[in-house]
């Protein structure tokens, strides 16, 4: 028994493991590196979004901001609406990103038509 404990104690530092994380549909905001790296990402997203011009193409925005935290796609008549949600501010301290912590970018037929909750909410009202 003592021999098995000694072997286990001596080999433990050499063991490696794998961690598998499973998400419940919310984007994880634990970034590698310093604890403020998510804050830097939010700030960068706000800066890029504030410099976007109306009629910017969908692909141009994706190239500047990369993968959004959430997306929605809607077709009304002959028009296709795509909404990209980017993390810009933290409300909850739960380590998860939710849509209410994101800024929506609304595209109509691949062109940016608005930024923010007002334009996003107008889609459901119109």
């Amino acid at each position: 028994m003592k021999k098995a404990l000694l072997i286990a104690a001596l080999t433990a530092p050499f063991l490696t493991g794998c961690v598998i994380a499973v998400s419940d549909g919310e984007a994880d905001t634990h970034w590698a590196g310093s604890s403020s790296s998510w804050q830097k990402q939010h700030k960068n997203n706000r800066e890029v979004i504030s410099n976007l011009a109306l009629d910017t193409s969908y692909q141009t925005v994706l190239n500047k901001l990369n993968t959004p935290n959430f997306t929605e796609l809607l077709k009304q008549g002959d028009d296709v609406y795509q909404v990209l949600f980017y993390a810009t501010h933290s409300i909850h301290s739960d380590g998860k990103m939710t849509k209410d912590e994101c800024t929506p970018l609304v595209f109509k037929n691949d062109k940016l038509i608005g930024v923010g909750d007002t334009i996003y909410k107008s889609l459901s009202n119109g």
Side-chain angles (χ1 to χ4, degrees):
M1 178 70 170
K2 288 183 182 180
K3 194 177 204 180
L5 288 174
L6 179 61
I7 291 171
L10 292 175
T11 59
F14 300 107
L15 297 176
T16 60
C18 178
V19 176
I20 299 173
V22 178
S23 174
D24 60 359
E26 296 177 323
D28 192 358
T29 59
H30 294 284
W31 300 81
S34 72
S35 63
S36 66
S37 62
W38 64 267
Q39 292 170 321
K40 291 177 186 172
Q41 183 64 43
H42 289 192
K43 182 179 182 204
N44 180 66
N45 287 349
R46 287 191 307 270
E47 288 174 358
V48 172
I49 289 169
S50 70
N51 288 310
L52 292 174
L54 291 178
D55 293 326
T56 301
S57 75
Y58 174 83
Q59 192 59 53
T60 298
V61 171
L62 280 180
N63 291 343
K64 290 181 179 188
L65 286 164
N66 299 313
T67 305
N69 295 88
F70 303 96
T71 63
E72 291 183 5
L73 183 64
L74 169 71
K75 184 170 183 175
Q76 290 182 339
D78 292 333
D79 296 318
V80 176
Y81 293 88
Q82 178 85 23
V83 184
L84 306 179
F85 294 85
Y86 287 96
T88 54
H89 55 284
S90 179
I91 298 171
H92 315 288
S93 298
D94 58 3
K96 302 286 184 181
M97 182 55 51
T98 56
K99 283 185 183 176
D100 63 340
E101 297 172 306
C102 296
T103 297
L105 281 63
V106 180
F107 296 82
K108 178 179 177 182
N109 303 324
D110 291 324
K111 296 291 182 185
L112 183 66
I113 62 167
V115 174
D117 290 329
T118 301
I119 186 73
Y120 174 64
K121 289 176 182 174
S122 74
L123 287 179
S124 62
N125 295 337

